[in-house]
Amino acid sequence: MPAGERETAPKRTGRRPGATVSRQAILQAARTRFAEQGYGGASLRAIAQDAGVDAALVHHFFGSKEGLFAASMQETLHPRTVVAGVLDGGAGGAGERLLRAFLRLWEGEETSQQMRGILRSAVPHEAAARMLREFITGEVLTPVAEALGGDAPRVRASLVASQLVGLAMTRYLVRVEPLAAMTRDEVVAAVAPTVQGYLTGPLGAWPPASG
């Protein structure tokens, strides 16, 4: 080789090296797009461009836009961690622990924008709404209600969901005052007893008498 010349490595083209790196890059790009544009506004092509991969790789890892949205919720909420934290300490105080975990997600520096994107997506798009329903009840609230041992765990989970989703809409999206300006501890003091009641308290006339 003549003096002064160097052998240079060929530039990499095509897919990112390593499936784990590519999958994580797609997830990160998807979380950003869904947070900024919602489920309807975010396209798989744009997400692939942001991640620096071919669009076919998005389908390879996640199957569809619905699959990618569901994976993005998993990446944001970490349901197993939430459930474990709520159940740590038993039935007493489970409502408060669940509510505090929920508020941390909504107010966290790294998760608040994603949470807003998830909820905004669920309002106009039935597919996103269905995935959010299935996710929050199936992977978080029903497992908590079942582990606490009360009757009708799916009913309890749906009641808790009504409280948490309603709270998110009024506090973080619509910003109804004075709820929007209340501190986290003030919200917990006001709302946690209701969540605890849904999880472990009597359900009144439910389930209806048979026959």
Side-chain angles (χ1 to χ4, degrees):
M1 180 182 299
E5 291 187 10
R6 291 184 183 178
E7 183 178 353
T8 58
K11 293 182 180 179
R12 291 183 179 273
T13 59
R15 296 180 179 180
R16 289 172 176 264
T20 300
V21 173
S22 297
R23 187 180 190 278
Q24 196 60 37
I26 294 167
L27 264 180
Q28 184 57 49
R31 291 175 67 196
T32 300
R33 284 279 178 174
F34 287 137
E36 293 176 351
Q37 300 178 320
Y39 180 81
S43 72
L44 294 185
R45 183 180 297 275
I47 290 169
Q49 282 186 324
D50 292 345
V53 301
D54 191 275
L57 202 57
V58 181
H59 290 280
H60 170 73
F61 284 122
F62 302 100
S64 64
K65 187 175 178 178
E66 288 191 11
L68 182 55
F69 187 73
S72 298
M73 287 194 290
Q74 285 273 356
E75 187 77 2
T76 298
L77 275 75
H78 298 289
R80 291 184 181 180
T81 301
V82 172
V83 171
V86 172
L87 296 177
D88 185 20
E96 179 175 338
R97 293 191 294 274
L98 176 58
L99 181 57
R100 286 191 181 277
F102 177 79
L103 294 175
R104 281 195 297 271
L105 286 168
W106 272 99
E107 297 170 10
E109 184 177 347
E110 297 182 359
T111 54
S112 60
Q113 189 176 9
Q114 280 79 25
M115 294 295 288
R116 285 171 171 79
I118 289 170
L119 191 54
R120 287 195 187 102
S121 295
V123 174
H125 295 281
E126 174 53 32
R130 173 179 50 78
M131 286 184 284
L132 178 59
R133 284 195 305 269
E134 293 173 353
F135 182 86
I136 195 171
T137 58
E139 299 202 35
V140 180
L141 300 180
T142 300
V144 167
E146 288 175 342
L148 294 178
D151 58 323
R154 292 182 63 188
V155 174
R156 293 180 184 276
S158 66
L159 291 171
V160 175
S162 73
Q163 187 71 45
L164 297 184
V165 174
L167 175 62
M169 287 291 296
T170 53
R171 177 171 167 85
Y172 300 109
L173 297 190
V174 183
R175 297 193 59 80
V176 174
E177 296 292 357
L179 175 61
M182 291 169 65
T183 67
R184 189 182 301 183
D185 287 341
E186 288 171 339
V187 173
V188 169
V191 178
T194 300
V195 176
Q196 183 71 36
Y198 286 154
L199 287 174
T200 61
L203 291 178
W206 189 273
S210 60

